[in-house]
Every structure is written in structure tokens, then in C-alpha cells.
């Protein structure tokens, strides 16, 4: 099988450069080893795109990285518009933030159709396509329409919400019907998969039996594949990183003070405001902790062209200033707040230097920072993970200290508990988490999905049916995001982001 992996964002960075997002960073080590072709956005747009607008095809480990310039006229409506202002908030159950327009949906469909045409270049009988994430829900249907009968798999890195939440998107039926063109649809957790099955039954009137669903495309499988990390690779990074100048500087700056760490993209799903409030509360209820612990919060700017994100960035800056102003001393800053990205190696070193990892999203598909924090710890003296019960990772990392990120007092008390936890208990909890991480590495995830895709395709998958009738297309229109801004190359410069 010749595997073609498709995602909007791809990782080009190596371990010593800032990384580019949870999905891209996670896929890099496995895609490199697998010999797959990884197709994604080049980060640039073009006015006159043809299906052969591959900016670059370069080697990547045993395989290749194929970077595609996307159509300028549709990019804004696709990325900032439908993907990140309609789908992302809906998938994270933030119906209050959903902003949707017919134009943006049209742009989303156009970019999916464009990607499908571009992928024809890699279509051969032995090819299997594995599409990643919410940017490409309708790509499979476009590929089937072009006559591609090969195995098509899809994996959603975000949560799949309750059916009434996704139904808040006017195009929900069209989207989900299109998803059934995939032979295999993978989710992070049982809850996500169940929500999807409930949607299929209730909204589309389809029967879901033992993870199989039949539609006009044929039969698709739905299943759970919790994504993991390269545990040993990350642990090795953490050991090596001890001598990195950034890590040494951090350790030297502590003067015996203990450190809590948070690493996130600036995204409303990450619960950053609540986390800072919990530290504010912690210093109120336990003033003795002042000077003896601080939070290093790395908050990487993300999707800054979207109002909800730029508002959050402003809110956080203000909040951190207030908390530091209230509790800080001339020689002590309670919250060390950095708006930039770091390499995987440096992050691994930072995680190992921190006695507490705080990963408290309001809702998260998996959250690989939680897993990386655990893998980076010193086995003799591991730190404590404080983890939101609403992160997918909480299903596996159930010996972390689980918190409700809406309960500020509860989080403050739990952080205090983490700071005073005896070493025997820390080791016990950490070993249990490491056993889970080792049982579900990124390598197992990758191999497990591919095997399931082959099996699903051999069953009566969509690929065995005659070409489908073109799915209903929406009326034309141009992006609601300013074309001029979207054509500015600086707007697309790859930015280092966290999870
Ligand atoms: C999440 C999404 C990824 C995305 C990443 C960074 O992890 O699931 O698909 O790549 O965020 O977001 P960005 O918009 O910068 O690619």
C-alpha cells in the first residue's frame, strides 16, 4: 500500500526548531518513518491555481512532503471562515462563538474540491489516502466523485460534540453525509464516536450496527483510535534538553522556587483564563506559596485574524498583568507569560524542570501536552499532572489529578495538593500513566488505523460502489474575509504553535 496522508497544516520543523501544532507535530515522526507522502498547505495562496499547484515536493524521511498553494479567492473563507469560525467552535461545543455564512461554506467546499483534484496526482491502484481533521470533512466525497475507489480513511483530532451542537451549523447534514464517503472514520474517544453514531441515527435516520453504517456511498466503519506520542523519543529529548541553554537558564532562574508549567495555543478551548484565575486564587488561599512557586505559561499566538482569538489574546495579557501586579514582588513574578513557541526539545526540558504540569482545557480532543509532560519526567522524581477531565487524555491518564476547569477554587486546591504530594505517590501515579502511554504510542495509533482502514476497505466499503452522484453544491459567492488581507504572505507565515 502506498500511503498518502493529507492535513491542512504539515510539520517541516525538526526537533530543534519550533513546532507547528499538535496534529502536525504528532504526525511528523510516524509519517517520516512510514515512507508516506504527506500532502498539505504550503502556507501560501495563489490567484491562478491549477490542480498542479504543488509549490514543492521535498523528501521527508523515507517518504515525501508535498506542499500545495491553495486558491487565494477561497482560502480566507475556508480557513478563518468555515473551518475555524464555524466548525472549530461547534466541535468544541462553543455554540456562542459559531459564525457561519453561505459564502464561507462555499469556500470550504471549493478548497476541499481543489484538494481532491490535486490528490489525483498521487492516485494509483496501490494508493490509500488518510485524511486528517475538520478542515477536510468533505474531501472524501469529492474524491469519490472524481472516481477514486481506493481506501479512504479520515481521523478527527478534535472532539465530536452532542448532536444538537453540531446541528447548530446550517450545513450539518451535507457535511456528515459527505463524511460517509470515507471507508473508516476515526475518533479520539468513545464519547466522540457515540455522539457521531447518535447524530447518524437521529438526524440522518441511519442504522449503526457494531460500528458499521450504510449510506448511499456504501458501508463505512466508525471507531476509536486515541492518538499517542513517541514516548521513548520524547523522554530522550527531555534528558538531552537538560544541557540546552534555554533550559539551563530556566533552571538557574528558579533559585529553589518550584515551577508549574502550561503550554497551549492561545485558544478559547484551552481554558487559559480559568487557569490564570486558579493561580490567582491559589496565592490568595495559600499566601505561603508566594515566592515558592510560579507558573510558566507558554501561550503561542494562534489564528490571530479571527476576532475571538485576538480578543482572548488581549484578555489574557490584561489578566496576567493584573495577577502579577496583585501578587508579585520586586524580585518575584507569579506568572511568567510568554507569547512564543519553542522546539520540542526545549519544551521537553521545560516539562522536566516543572514539578506540576497544568493541562486544563474546557474541551479538547486529546491534548498531547498532557502526554508529553508525563513522558518528559525524571522517573526518580516525577512531577504531578493536573489534568482537565474534559480532555480526551483524561480517559487514559486517570491517575493524574483530574479537575473541572470551571471550578476555579477546586483547581487552586488541586494545584496545592500537587505541590505537596509525597514522592512515593508521585511515582506511583506517574508509573501508571507511563504504562498507559507505552500501551498506546503514536506508532500503535498509526499502525492500528492503517490496519483498520485496509479491513474496512475490504468489506463493502464506499470504494466498491459505482461513482456517486455529485453531492449537492451550494450557491456561489466569494470569501467574506478580505481578499487583500488573505493574499498577504505574512498572514500565512507558518507560526509555531503548541497543542
Ligand atoms: C489543532 C487542530 C489541528 C491544527 C492545530 C493548529 O490541533 O486539530 O488541525 O493544525 O490545532 O492550528 P492551526 O490553525 O494553526 O493549524
Amino acid at each position: 500500500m502506498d500511503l498518502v496522508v493529507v492535513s491542512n497544516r504539515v510539520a517541516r520543523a525538526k526537533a530543534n526548531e519550533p513546532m507547528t501544532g499538535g496534529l502536525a507535530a504528532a504526525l511528523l515522526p510516524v509519517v517520516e518513518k512510514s515512507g508516506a507522502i504527506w500532502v498539505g498547505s504550503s502556507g501560501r495562496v495563489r490567484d491562478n491555481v491549477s490542480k498542479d499547484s504543488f509549490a514543492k515536493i521535498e523528501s521527508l524521511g523515507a517518504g515525501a512532503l508535498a506542499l500545495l498553494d491553495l486558491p487565494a479567492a477561497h482560502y480566507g473563507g475556508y480557513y478563518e471562515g468555515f473551518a475555524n469560525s464555524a466548525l472549530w467552535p461547534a466541535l468544541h461545543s462553543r455554540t456562542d462563538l459559531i459564525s457561519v455564512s453561505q459564502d464561507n461554506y462555499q469556500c470550504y467546499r471549493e478548497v476541499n474540491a481543489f484538494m481532491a483534484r490535486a490528490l489525483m496526482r498521487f492516485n494509483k491502484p496501490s494508493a490509500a489516502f488518510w485524511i486528517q481533521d475538520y478542515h477536510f470533512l468533505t474531501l472524501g466525497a469529492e474524491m469519490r466523485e472524481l472516481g477514486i475507489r481506493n481506501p479512504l480513511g479520515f481521523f478527527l483530532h478534535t472532539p465530536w460534540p452532542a448532536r444538537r451542537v453540531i446541528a447548530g451549523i446550517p450545513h450539518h447534514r451535507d457535511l456528515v453525509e459527505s463524511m460517509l464517503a470515507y471507508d473508516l472514520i476515526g475518533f479520539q474517544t468513545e464519547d466522540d464516536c457515540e455522539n457521531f453514531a447518535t447524530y447518524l441515527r437521529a438526524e440522518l435516520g441511519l442504522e449503526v450496527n457494531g460500528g458499521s453504517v450504510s449510506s448511499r456511498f456504501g458501508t463505512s466503519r466508525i471507531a476509536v483510535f486515541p492518538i499517542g506520542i513517541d514516548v521513548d523519543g520524547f523522554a530522550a529529548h527531555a534528558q538531552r534538553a537538560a544541557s540546552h541553554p534555554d533550559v539551563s537558564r530556566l533552571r538557574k532562574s528558579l533559585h529553589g522556587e518550584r515551577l508549574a508549567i502550561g503550554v497551549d495555543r492561545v485558544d478559547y478551548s484551552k481554558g487559559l483564563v480559568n487557569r490564570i484565575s486558579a493561580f490567582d486564587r491559589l496565592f490568595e488561599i495559600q499566601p505561603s506559596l508566594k515566592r515558592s512557586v510560579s507558573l510558566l505559561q507558554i501561550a503561542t499566538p494562534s489564528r490571530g485574524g479571527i476576532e475571538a482569538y485576538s480578543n482572548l489574546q488581549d484578555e489574557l495579557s490584561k489578566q496576567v498583568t493584573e495577577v502579577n501586579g496583585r501578587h508579585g514582588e520586586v524580585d518575584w513574578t507569579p506568572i511568567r507569560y510568554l507569547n512564543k513557541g519553542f522546539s520540542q526539545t526545549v519544551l521537553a526540558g521545560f516539562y522536566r524542570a516543572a514539578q506540576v504540569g497544568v493541562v486544563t482545557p474546557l474541551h479538547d480532543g486529546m491534548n498531547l501536552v498532557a502526554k508529553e509532560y508525563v513522558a518528559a519526567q525524571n522517573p526518580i522524581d516525577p512531577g504531578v499532572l493536573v489534568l482537565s477531565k474534559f480532555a480526551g487524555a483524561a480517559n487514559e491518564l486517570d491517575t493524574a489529578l483530574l479537575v473541572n476547569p470551571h471550578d476555579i477554587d477546586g483547581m487552586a486546591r488541586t494545584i496545592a495538593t500537587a505541590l505537596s504530594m509525597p514522592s512515593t505517590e508521585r511515582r506511583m501515579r506517574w508509573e501508571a500513566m507511563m504504562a498507559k502511554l507505552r500501551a498506546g504510542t503514536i506508532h500503535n495509533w498509526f499502525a492500528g488505523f492503517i490496519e483498520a482502514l485496509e479491513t474496512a476497505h475490504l468489506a463493502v466499503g464506499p470504494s466498491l460502489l459505482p461513482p456517486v452522484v455529485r453531492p449537492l453544491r451550494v450557491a456561489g459567492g466569494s470569501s467574506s474575509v478580505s481578499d487583500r488581507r488573505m493574499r498577504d504572505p505574512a498572514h500565512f507565515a507558518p507560526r509555531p504553535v503548541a497543542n
Side-chain angles (χ1 to χ4, degrees):
M1 178 196 278
D2 292 306
L3 183 64
V4 182
V5 176
V6 184
S7 61
N8 178 67
R9 188 178 283 279
V10 297
R12 307 176 69 182
K14 298 291 175 215
N16 58 354
E17 291 172 18
M19 265 298 184
T20 51
L23 177 161
L27 286 182
L28 182 64
V30 272
V31 175
E32 265 182 335
K33 269 198 193 135
S34 70
I37 297 171
W38 190 358
V39 181
S41 161
S42 65
R44 280 187 304 273
V45 294
R46 259 203 235 174
D47 278 328
N48 297 313
V49 282
S50 71
K51 66 180 178 344
D52 241 347
S53 71
F54 281 98
K56 221 176 188 181
I57 300 188
E58 56 194 52
S59 68
L60 177 73
L65 186 63
L67 300 173
L68 191 63
D69 291 348
L70 294 178
H74 304 303
Y75 188 86
Y78 149 77
Y79 176 77
E80 292 190 325
F82 196 73
N84 286 311
S85 297
L87 285 176
W88 180 271
L91 293 167
H92 291 85
S93 302
R94 288 297 303 266
T95 43
D96 56 320
L97 295 176
I98 293 176
S99 158
V100 72
S101 75
Q102 188 65 9
D103 283 355
N104 286 349
Y105 185 57
Q106 175 67 20
C107 291
Y108 180 85
R109 296 297 310 235
E110 292 290 349
V111 170
N112 274 247
F114 173 76
M115 178 59 88
R117 292 192 294 276
L119 289 173
M120 290 303 276
R121 173 165 177 165
F122 304 109
N123 189 28
K124 51 182 177 175
S126 58
F129 296 85
W130 185 6
I131 316 303
Q132 311 289 325
D133 230 356
Y134 62 99
H135 307 88
F136 294 122
L137 297 182
T138 60
L139 176 54
E142 300 289 355
M143 293 170 76
R144 295 288 182 224
E145 191 190 335
L146 293 175
I148 294 184
R149 295 288 160 262
N150 305 48
L152 295 187
F154 175 82
F155 184 78
L156 184 69
H157 291 255
T158 70
W160 186 272
R163 89 177 158 94
R164 291 198 188 283
V165 172
I166 202 72
I169 298 208
H171 317 88
H172 61 99
R173 283 205 181 83
D174 196 26
L175 285 169
V176 180
E177 276 169 7
S178 299
M179 285 173 76
L180 298 175
Y182 292 113
D183 294 280
L184 175 64
I185 303 171
F187 296 93
Q188 298 274 27
T189 69
E190 295 287 349
D191 280 353
D192 301 324
C193 196
E194 271 168 32
N195 283 344
F196 190 74
T198 303
Y199 176 96
L200 295 176
R201 290 186 190 107
E203 296 287 336
L204 302 184
L206 298 173
E207 276 184 36
V208 186
N209 288 319
S212 289
V213 55
S214 297
S215 71
R216 66 193 170 93
F217 288 104
T219 302
S220 306
R221 296 273 311 159
I222 61 172
V224 179
F225 302 86
I227 194 168
I229 61 166
D230 179 6
V231 189
D232 294 327
F234 206 82
H237 273 326
Q239 260 184 324
R240 271 200 306 272
S243 57
H244 191 285
D246 285 351
V247 179
S248 318
R249 286 209 331 263
L250 173 64
R251 282 188 182 272
K252 274 194 203 127
S253 74
L254 291 172
H255 302 298
E257 189 187 325
R258 284 166 303 164
L259 188 71
I261 190 168
V263 177
D264 307 80
R265 282 184 305 104
V266 176
D267 191 298
Y268 45 80
S269 65
K270 302 293 180 185
L272 286 162
V273 171
N274 292 16
R275 187 181 309 161
I276 304 294
S277 298
F279 275 86
D280 187 12
R281 191 85 189 105
L282 176 70
F283 294 124
E284 270 166 29
I285 58 174
Q286 284 214 22
S288 60
L289 286 177
K290 289 187 184 185
R291 290 173 172 284
S292 83
V293 61
S294 62
L295 169 68
L296 169 60
Q297 178 61 58
I298 295 169
T300 319
S302 177
R303 306 174 194 165
I306 300 172
E307 205 185 343
Y309 287 79
S310 53
N311 287 347
L312 176 62
Q313 176 88 46
D314 294 347
E315 185 183 356
L316 281 167
S317 304
K318 196 163 161 269
Q319 190 193 15
V320 169
T321 307
E322 280 169 9
V323 173
N324 281 342
R326 193 160 40 247
H327 298 292
E329 301 286 348
V330 282
D331 57 351
W332 177 67
T333 305
I335 317 276
R336 303 167 178 217
Y337 181 68
L338 304 182
N339 279 148
K340 60 180 179 176
F342 290 88
S343 71
Q344 291 286 90
T345 304
V346 172
L347 285 179
F350 287 174
Y351 292 141
R352 200 174 172 105
Q355 285 71 32
V356 182
V358 271
V359 182
T360 54
L362 304 181
H363 205 172
D364 216 330
M366 177 54 67
N367 199 304
L368 295 178
V369 167
K371 295 190 170 184
E372 290 172 355
Y373 176 77
V374 172
Q377 295 309 298
N378 176 354
I380 300 162
D381 187 24
V384 180
L385 176 64
V386 174
L387 178 62
S388 163
K389 55 176 147 179
F390 304 125
N395 289 311
E396 293 154 87
L397 303 182
D398 52 0
T399 55
L401 293 183
L402 297 183
V403 291
N404 171 0
H406 300 285
D407 176 6
I408 307 297
D409 282 329
M411 276 201 287
R413 284 194 304 272
T414 306
I415 294 162
T417 305
L419 286 164
S420 61
M421 190 181 283
S423 65
T424 37
E425 183 176 350
R426 280 190 276 124
R427 275 202 300 272
M428 210 180 66
R429 288 175 180 272
W430 178 79
E431 277 159 16
M433 289 192 278
M434 281 301 273
K436 297 271 179 71
L437 293 189
R438 291 219 157 88
T441 66
I442 186 81
H443 307 287
N444 304 140
W445 174 81
F446 197 85
F449 189 95
I450 297 302
E451 196 186 324
L453 176 57
E454 281 176 326
T455 310
H457 181 69
L458 288 175
V460 193
S463 48
L464 301 183
L465 295 183
V468 293
V469 178
R470 187 174 179 78
L472 190 68
R473 301 307 297 267
V474 293
S478 63
S479 162
S480 66
V481 180
S482 142
D483 279 357
R484 203 155 50 106
R485 185 157 57 89
M486 299 319 300
R487 286 193 187 109
D488 172 5
H491 187 73
F492 296 99
R495 283 160 312 185
V497 292
N499 210 32

